[in-house]
Amino acid sequence: MPVIRTWQLTAGATALGAVLATLAVTLAGPWEGGQRAAERQWAAARDGGAHEGRDAKPRADAPAPAPSAPGVLTALGVRAATATADDKAGPALLARELAPLLAAPGLGSLRTASVVDLTSGRALYGSGPAVAVTPASTVKIATAVAALHALGPDHRIATTTSLAPGGRLTLVGGGDASLTSAGLGQLADRTAAALKGRKVSSVRLAYDASRYRGPVSHPIGRNGNLAPVTALMVDGGRVAAGPPPANGYAERGQDPAGDAGRAFARLLSARGIAVAGPAVAGRPPAGARPLAQVVSAPLSDLVERTLTRSDNDLAEALARQTALASGEEASFAGGERAVRKRLATLGLPLTGARFPDGSGLDRRARLSAGLLTGLLSRAAEPDRPGLRPVLTGLPIAGFTGTLSERHTGSAPGAGVIRAKTGTLTGVNALAGTVVAADGRLLGFAFLAGKTTDRDAAQKALDALAAALAS
């Protein structure tokens, strides 16, 4: 993946366009883990630190909200678009430009579209925007919004150990799909130190993945794009050690929780703690007490990683964490109910929508282009800073994630398009944000079904997004 430098961004788009892309999408300012520091402070000041999903009123001493995109653009001397009654030409001109591109043969026989002005919420273009179709990985936008709304951007997922009388040690998975071998080693360090502090040198080890319920296998079956969905896994259940490959596809073990338990036993042994017998599945017995823990990065970071890398394991974990926070069973079915519940609370159009998984690998999923731009609009609202990682996590055209090899070089969209890709056999999608030439921050969603040529479909989708930037 290329290193992003200022001169590269300038070459990829005009200097002003690159500045606008940065300011309009991130709303300016210092960032901590993908969320602007000023927005964090404002959110924390609201009614005892209430996060998205809780009703709260700003305290009297709370700092003013961060400026919305129109204010930022005006400060730059660029005209910010407004939705006035006599402003009819914009949508009409946009329709004349986009309609032929949407008719490209590469997009197959089913295509829908939605374009909105994120600074005003105004719909600028639509073609079947309410028709629910298979969205592929763009469903991760819905999963991310729901998770942030349910848990807040600062939520962390813990993996813990507990000790019961008689030397029964249990490794308890909390559902952190980002847990690495290094993280498990850190937990072993802390656990071994705590055991030695209690004069315990030998344990019987169990591992607990009971936090998640229902089937662990995705309907697609065994697949290198996704491990069995369990509450305890290390390195995404990958067989090979080390960081995951760029495209996320790798051989996966079929017992991630058991593999984690066995790896933990080896780590304890290497730290001077004898493990009697093999690690076995089981919950902490009565009388067990917490011993040590490691926690994930903040949810804001996990959301950004999910979207940038199109990480299926993290997406499924986010759906289950949303279920737990919403009083639903942490399963595929519970995740669907929880995501729908959260999006309904946000007032989004859910007619025909389905969320059978969090990743979009399930072809039964259904989203409309209008729902996708609605999700982006909610994430852009100034009074919802907790949802901002949905925008900052979108891959940057020509530079990061699944768009690193699209809109490259001097292409008009390089550096100013940020979008989530979606690809299944016969399904191609692109949904995200773009800074238009007149300074408006636009949200778009283009969904194509019954495609026969992936490359042709992607080029057609890229042409649509690039047209918004030029």
Side-chain angles (χ1 to χ4, degrees):
M1 184 177 296
V3 176
I4 303 174
R5 297 185 176 88
T6 302
W7 69 266
Q8 288 175 309
L9 285 172
T10 304
T14 65
L16 177 59
V19 171
L20 288 173
T22 302
L23 288 175
V25 177
T26 65
L27 306 184
W31 281 77
E32 297 173 355
Q35 188 179 3
R36 202 164 72 88
E39 292 182 322
R40 282 184 183 272
Q41 294 164 6
W42 177 53
R46 301 175 69 193
D47 195 24
H51 60 66
E52 288 291 339
R54 298 179 185 172
D55 294 327
K57 296 180 179 180
R59 285 177 13 191
D61 60 345
S68 63
V72 173
L73 297 175
T74 301
L76 284 172
V78 180
R79 181 183 68 83
T82 56
T84 59
D86 58 354
D87 184 10
K88 304 292 186 182
L93 289 172
L94 191 60
R96 285 199 291 272
E97 184 170 9
L98 294 183
L101 297 174
L102 193 64
L107 294 180
S109 59
L110 175 65
R111 68 285 301 271
T112 65
S114 173
V115 180
V116 301
D117 184 336
L118 292 182
T119 65
S120 67
R122 182 187 185 193
L124 300 177
Y125 175 75
S127 178
V131 178
V133 299
T134 303
S137 277
T138 59
V139 82
K140 291 183 175 75
I141 296 174
T143 305
V145 168
L148 288 165
H149 185 265
L151 295 156
D154 298 319
H155 178 74
R156 295 173 185 261
I157 305 170
T159 305
T160 65
T161 55
S162 65
L163 182 66
R168 171 72 174 264
L169 179 72
T170 307
L171 171 65
V172 182
D176 179 13
S178 70
L179 182 65
T180 63
S181 295
L184 191 67
Q186 187 177 54
L187 181 58
D189 288 337
R190 295 174 181 177
T191 300
L195 289 170
K196 291 174 183 178
R198 290 166 172 76
K199 308 299 182 184
V200 176
S201 60
S202 177
V203 297
R204 292 174 291 112
L205 180 63
Y207 56 89
D208 179 11
S210 64
R211 189 166 176 80
Y212 289 174
R213 304 284 183 166
V216 300
S217 296
H218 191 280
I220 63 172
R222 186 166 183 167
N223 190 289
N225 285 304
L226 179 70
V229 185
T230 69
L232 177 62
M233 65 169 63
V234 180
D235 295 328
R238 293 173 176 84
V239 173
N247 65 0
Y249 190 94
E251 185 180 354
R252 311 297 187 107
Q254 294 307 294
D255 182 18
D259 291 341
R262 289 182 283 274
F264 196 63
R266 293 192 294 272
L267 291 168
L268 288 177
S269 296
R271 287 156 176 77
I273 301 297
V275 179
V280 297
R283 299 186 182 188
R289 295 289 183 267
L291 195 65
Q293 72 169 12
V294 291
V295 296
S296 70
L299 190 68
S300 57
D301 290 8
L302 299 184
V303 161
E304 289 184 331
R305 174 175 157 182
T306 299
L307 297 174
T308 300
R309 300 184 185 179
S310 199
D311 191 309
N312 296 309
D313 300 293
L314 271 177
E316 297 301 346
L318 292 179
R320 278 162 173 70
Q321 294 293 317
T322 302
L324 290 168
S326 304
E328 298 286 352
E329 177 185 77
S331 63
F332 285 109
E336 176 164 18
R337 291 190 296 269
V339 169
R340 173 175 284 277
K341 182 187 301 184
R342 292 291 168 177
L343 301 191
T345 300
L346 289 168
L348 291 161
L350 295 173
T351 301
R354 280 218 57 194
F355 311 95
D357 68 357
S359 62
L361 291 172
D362 194 323
R363 291 178 176 274
R364 295 174 299 167
R366 295 290 185 273
L367 264 69
S368 67
L371 173 54
L372 282 167
T373 53
L375 289 161
L376 296 167
S377 296
R378 291 293 182 273
E381 290 175 355
D383 61 348
R384 298 189 188 277
L387 299 183
R388 205 73 74 243
V390 173
L391 300 186
T392 59
L394 294 172
I396 302 173
F399 294 101
T400 64
T402 55
L403 282 186
S404 61
E405 297 181 359
R406 292 165 67 172
H407 298 278
T408 56
S410 60
V416 296
I417 293 172
R418 301 190 70 147
K420 181 70 197 73
T421 57
T423 307
L424 293 171
T425 301
V427 177
N428 298 88
L430 192 67
T433 67
V434 60
V435 179
D438 64 0
R440 289 178 295 176
L441 180 63
L442 306 181
F444 65 86
F446 302 117
L447 305 174
K450 300 182 181 179
T451 60
T452 58
D453 184 327
R454 184 193 68 177
D455 291 340
Q458 288 181 349
K459 288 179 181 178
L461 293 172
D462 290 347
L464 284 160
L468 298 176
S470 59

